[in-house]
Amino acid sequence: VSLTVLRAGRPLKGSVELPGDKSVSHRALIVGTLASGTLDISNLSTGRDVACTRRCLEALGAGIWGEGTSLTVRGRGPDGFRQPEGRLDCGNSGTTMRLLMGFLAGQPFESVLVGDESLSSRPMRRVADPLRSMGALIQLAGNDTAPVCIRGTRPLANLAYKLPVPSAQVKSALLLAGLYSRGQTCVEDPFGTRDHTERMFASFSGGEAIRRHGALACVRPVPLRTDREIRVPGDPSSGAFFAAAALLVPGSDLTLRGMMLNPSRMGFYDTIREMGTKVSIEESGVEAGEPVGDVRIEHAPLRAARVPAKRVPTMVDEVPLLAVLAARAEGISHLEGLAELRFKESDRLDGVRAGLDALGVETHAEGDALLVEGGGPFRDGRVDTRGDHRLAMAFGVAGLGSDGGVELSDAACAGISYPGFFDELERLRTG
Ligand code: S3P
């Protein structure tokens, strides 16, 4: 379904209650299921990706009750799973597929993981190779993609592994497999990707299951326990779209409520601050092992952005959105180290350049860097969202800063991470 997002006629004011973080939601379901005890989860992401994780876990024998944002997970303990009857459909969700591969590496039966067209073109060898060296039998399609056929074993061999690519999904898969290893599994992450799995293991084991030393995380096969409840903190990647909306509309002043403030997710907010925005953060507590608080964004004219490669892992899903903002900043923005964007739900480096081109913005690619020329309002145009939720939302936000609106070829894909997004954006736009 196509959708046109119109220019905002007045400043964006007030506050937004953020939906639960997608990464933490997947992990709460998976970790809750393989722990013992009962876990009550609130503010769970209602996106389609997280629903895929739930359905796959249920096919493996998980007990999950409830609908919407509040669920109860009855933990099965590490041994309580059965071979699924059919194939496990991960939909569009790389997190579902890769994290479950790690978990299934420790299950002594065969499973087949499949995905939609986008997921079936994404690289899986980065997960398969280290899991194979732990002892899992894994077969991929000819080009190292899904379908993934996996037969796990127990105990898995110990692993000491340094991530060759910045991927929290790969890291998390190996940490999950580590729960089924003979002794200790250590993963070194020199990139500083998101560490939600590490935090959750620590909080579900009283610190026993995982030890961290700088970039190194070591997991031991210690049973996890979850007699408790958690509230999933607000998603900073979803919040970023509203922050950007406020920065495209003069006079705006928006507060993002209950946002997760994990430093491994804050690169976008650091960058807009450098571009001249006033970002005020008030930390209010800890939820699910994560710092949480309110973030106030006040509109200001933007200077060009400079994003060094080492910051990219902390804002990897926000890069298309930042490129949209850069198009409205003063000067030429330089975003470096974007190679991984080519392996997301779509080739986002290509998708963001094509979208900006449709809106009259000049971009240049130099290796894995992107240069964006800042300037005036967006030209009216139609953007091909390529079924990619982050591209759809990023270019939807661009509509607020256009003269005559931005037409999106498909807006429904936003439901992959944030079903109510365009309604919320419209509510803010019309005040
Ligand atoms: C995620 C990790 C990132 C991110 C994705 C969610 C996670 O992917 O892009 O949206 O939950 O671990 P990579 O692991 O490919 O970097």
Side-chain angles (χ1 to χ4, degrees), residues 269-348:
Y269 298 87
D270 296 338
T271 305
I272 58 173
R273 195 179 255 153
E274 287 173 8
M275 292 170 81
T277 310
K278 188 163 173 209
V279 180
S280 324
I281 298 180
E282 206 168 304
E283 196 171 325
S284 55
V286 174
E287 284 166 5
E290 305 280 355
V292 179
D294 292 345
V295 178
R296 180 175 174 194
I297 309 284
E298 291 167 81
H299 176 274
L302 296 173
R303 297 189 288 272
R306 205 164 245 292
V307 177
K310 73 171 182 356
R311 191 187 294 162
V312 172
T314 67
M315 55 179 289
V316 64
D317 294 333
E318 289 72 75
V319 170
L321 179 66
L322 192 81
V324 165
L325 276 184
R328 297 295 307 277
E330 176 79 43
I332 299 179
S333 291
H334 293 247
L335 285 58
E336 286 162 12
L338 307 183
E340 277 296 308
L341 264 75
R342 296 205 181 277
F343 307 114
K344 296 296 176 188
E345 287 83 328
S346 69
D347 177 343
R348 287 186 179 155

Side-chain angles (χ1 to χ4, degrees), residues 22-23 27 95 98 166-170 194 316-317 344:
K22 175 161 80 75
S23 291
R27 286 157 174 81
T95 310
R98 296 200 178 107
S167 170
Q169 294 173 353
V170 173
R194 63 195 69 190
V316 64
D317 294 333
K344 296 296 176 188

